[in-house]
């Protein structure tokens, strides 16, 4: 099963207010294993770079000024991703920017049915925990020491490792396919043992048992467990 893990960098948070896509990074996975094929590109947004955004990814307006526009590489990007499922962290954000750029090119948007959101997966797997990419890398022991700033390709490569852990980890030697987690869950059978109802056993003594007990008690001249009143009279 082929999947594409991807990430974006932008000029801000809202494509509807004029923010633009400036970097795309994609990593190809087959059966949850990276193949080494990637797609990476910077884009000239034709606008300034807000200081807050530059502080996150380090991409300045000067650096991006000689880069191609998204429209120049839109078809190349679409060819790379094909019809594969698309994995992203907080995927709605990335889909929003990519689809805005595609619409500006007169191209069809990416269907959100293809979207796999690792934030949603992490919230199910680790409810109540911090589920940023950095936090997940720390939780799973994934080295991110080279990540001094956000970068689309670097973050996609880290996310590919996180995605494997979120979906069950690598099953070395078992040759499990990409849907192995679902398959394993579906294959687990729950054995319900039928128990036969048994009525409670009677606990009161029979007349014969009471008579035998009385005969035994009569052999003791003054049993410690006898009637306290009887002992006093003696």
């Amino acid at each position: 099963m082929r999947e594409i893990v991807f990430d974006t960098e932008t000029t801000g948070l809202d494509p509807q207010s004029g923010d633009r896509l400036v970097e795309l990074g994609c990593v190809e996975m087959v059966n949850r294993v990276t193949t080494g094929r990637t797609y990476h590109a910077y884009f000239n947004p034709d606008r300034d770079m807000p200081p807050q955004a530059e502080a996150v990814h380090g991409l300045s307006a000067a650096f991006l000024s000689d880069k191609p526009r998204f429209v120049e590489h839109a078809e190349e990007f679409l060819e790379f991703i094909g019809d594969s499922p698309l994995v992203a962290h907080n995927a709605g954000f990335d889909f929003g920017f990519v689809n805005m750029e595609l619409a500006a090119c007169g191209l069809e948007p990416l269907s959100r049915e293809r979207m796999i959101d690792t934030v949603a997966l992490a919230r199910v797997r680790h409810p109540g925990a911090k589920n940023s990419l950095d936090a997940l890398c720390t939780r799973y022991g994934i080295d991110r020491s080279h990540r001094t700033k956000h970068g689309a390709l670097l973050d996609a490569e880290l996310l590919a490792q996180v995605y494997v852990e979120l979906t069950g980890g690598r099953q070395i030697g078992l040759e499990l396919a990409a849907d192995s987690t679902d398959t394993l869950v579906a294959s687990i059978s729950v054995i319900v043992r039928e128990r036969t109802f048994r009525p409670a056993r009677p606990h009161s003594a029979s007349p014969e048992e009471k008579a035998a007990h009385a005969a035994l008690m009569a052999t003791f001249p003054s049993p410690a467990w006898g009637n306290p009143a009887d002992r006093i009279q003696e």
Side-chain angles (χ1 to χ4, degrees), residues 16-212:
Q16 301 304 318
S17 67
D19 285 320
R20 299 291 303 276
L21 181 69
V22 295
E23 186 184 8
L24 256 176
C26 304
V27 173
E28 180 185 66
M29 301 188 80
V30 176
N31 293 344
R32 305 278 160 85
V33 177
T34 55
T35 66
R37 290 191 67 212
T38 62
Y39 176 84
H40 181 234
Y42 295 108
F43 304 109
N44 183 345
D46 288 315
R47 57 154 293 171
D48 65 313
M49 178 63 70
Q52 308 95 297
E54 186 174 342
V56 172
H57 49 57
L59 303 176
S60 66
F63 172 80
L64 297 167
S65 62
D66 63 347
K67 302 301 183 285
R69 275 69 177 176
F70 179 86
V71 66
E72 298 174 53
H73 288 283
E75 293 291 352
E76 181 181 72
F77 164 67
L78 292 174
E79 182 180 353
F80 181 84
I81 65 173
D83 59 357
S84 301
L86 301 170
V87 181
H89 204 60
N90 191 17
F93 175 89
D94 300 287
F95 268 66
F97 272 94
V98 171
N99 282 343
M100 179 270 294
E101 297 287 355
L102 290 172
C105 301
L107 297 170
E108 290 294 318
L110 301 176
S111 170
R112 295 206 173 220
E113 292 182 359
R114 300 170 61 179
M115 184 171 76
I116 299 173
D117 187 358
T118 49
V119 169
L121 292 177
R123 285 173 179 165
V124 172
R125 193 78 181 269
H126 308 289
K130 189 175 181 180
N131 289 312
S132 66
L133 182 57
D134 281 340
L136 290 168
C137 285
T138 299
R139 184 173 296 130
Y140 291 125
I142 296 169
D143 181 18
R144 56 180 176 82
S145 58
H146 51 308
R147 188 190 190 230
T148 57
K149 288 186 179 293
H150 290 220
L153 183 58
L154 171 59
D155 287 2
E157 290 170 339
L158 291 173
L159 184 59
Q161 297 179 66
V162 167
Y163 180 51
V164 169
E165 297 299 332
L166 285 173
T167 53
R170 298 191 186 281
Q171 302 293 326
I172 300 174
L174 297 182
E175 300 180 354
L176 297 178
D179 60 348
S180 59
T181 301
D182 295 337
T183 302
L184 286 173
V185 171
S187 67
I188 296 173
S189 60
V190 179
I191 300 174
V192 179
R193 294 180 179 176
E194 295 292 338
R195 297 184 180 273
T196 303
F197 174 75
R198 294 180 180 177
R201 290 176 296 177
H203 295 287
S204 58
S206 67
E208 293 79 7
E209 289 172 329
K210 290 179 180 179

